[in-house]
Each structure stands twice: as C-alpha cells, then as structure tokens.
Amino acid sequence: MMRASTYIMAMTLAASTMLAAPARAVEAPFEPGLMRLAEVLGSLHFLRNLCGEKGTQWRGEMEKLLQAENPSPERRARFIASFNRGYRSFDGTYTACTPSATEAISRYMKEGEALSRDIASRFGN
C-alpha cells in the first residue's frame, strides 16, 4: 500500500511538472533565412524608393512571401517586424541617394537572391 501511494504521488508530481512547463515549438531550420529575407525586402523597399524607383515592388514581394507562408499570427508579426527593421535601419541613415546607398542596394539584391536560392534549394518541395 505504501509503495502504491508513493508511486501515485510520484506520477502526480511528474504530471504537474509536465503541465507547468509548456512545450515550445521547434523553429524550422529555414526560419532564420526567411526572417532575414523579410529584413532585406524592407531595406530594399526603402533604398530603392530613395534612389528613384517609385512604387511598392518590394512591399509586394513581402506580401507574396506572407501569402506563400500563410503564417500564424505570431509568426506573421515576426515577419512584419523583420521587414520594418530592415526599412528603419536605413530610414534613419539616408535622406538622399548616395553612392553608399547604391552600393547597399547592390549588396542587398545579391543577398536576397542568395537567400531565396538557398532556401528554395535546401528546403523547397
């Protein structure tokens, strides 16, 4: 009888411990790349418009990414925060198109292309 009550108490303690610590979702291996891609798109949206490209092409690319991913509300918020971080990282730095802004565009275009290619080749269907 003593052994059974000890066993039951141990099981109850184990169960309460499991309930107290909620399970965390494991981040997909491609998630950091997608978040970086969102940030690159935000940077390009700011820089390309600063340097004469008028329109919403890069915001549109972000919308396509969100549609393709169909993220949960929390994940969607992370995507948008990444895009906005990219935008704001240059918003406070550049007020006119300069040679360094043009160079940044070139680098971000290459990085975005590399990220897209890498994610698609490694994790695409």
Side-chain angles (χ1 to χ4, degrees):
M1 181 77 158
M2 183 73 148
R3 186 179 261 176
S5 65
T6 303
Y7 177 75
I8 291 172
M9 191 168 16
M11 292 303 288
T12 303
L13 181 59
S16 67
T17 302
M18 288 174 22
L19 293 175
R24 291 188 175 188
V26 176
E27 186 177 83
F30 52 82
E31 194 72 5
L34 286 176
M35 291 301 152
R36 179 62 185 153
L37 181 59
E39 192 171 343
V40 167
L41 291 172
S43 296
L44 286 170
H45 181 63
F46 178 80
L47 290 168
R48 296 287 297 248
N49 278 282
L50 179 71
C51 289
E53 178 183 291
K54 298 300 176 202
T56 59
Q57 175 185 354
W58 303 104
R59 184 180 301 246
E61 293 298 323
M62 182 64 194
E63 285 297 325
K64 289 178 191 175
L65 177 59
L66 288 172
Q67 286 176 343
E69 285 298 308
N70 191 22
S72 67
E74 297 83 20
R75 189 166 173 243
R76 181 181 176 82
R78 286 195 314 269
F79 272 111
I80 292 169
S82 293
F83 181 90
N84 289 339
R85 184 174 39 257
Y87 186 93
R88 282 191 297 266
S89 68
F90 289 102
D91 182 33
T93 306
Y94 292 103
T95 57
C97 188
T98 63
S100 64
T102 304
E103 178 62 27
I105 289 170
S106 177
R107 289 181 182 184
Y108 278 103
M109 293 291 289
K110 289 175 186 169
E111 183 182 357
E113 183 181 345
L115 282 166
S116 298
R117 188 177 44 249
D118 182 54
I119 292 167
S121 68
R122 291 179 60 205
F123 306 106
N125 291 339

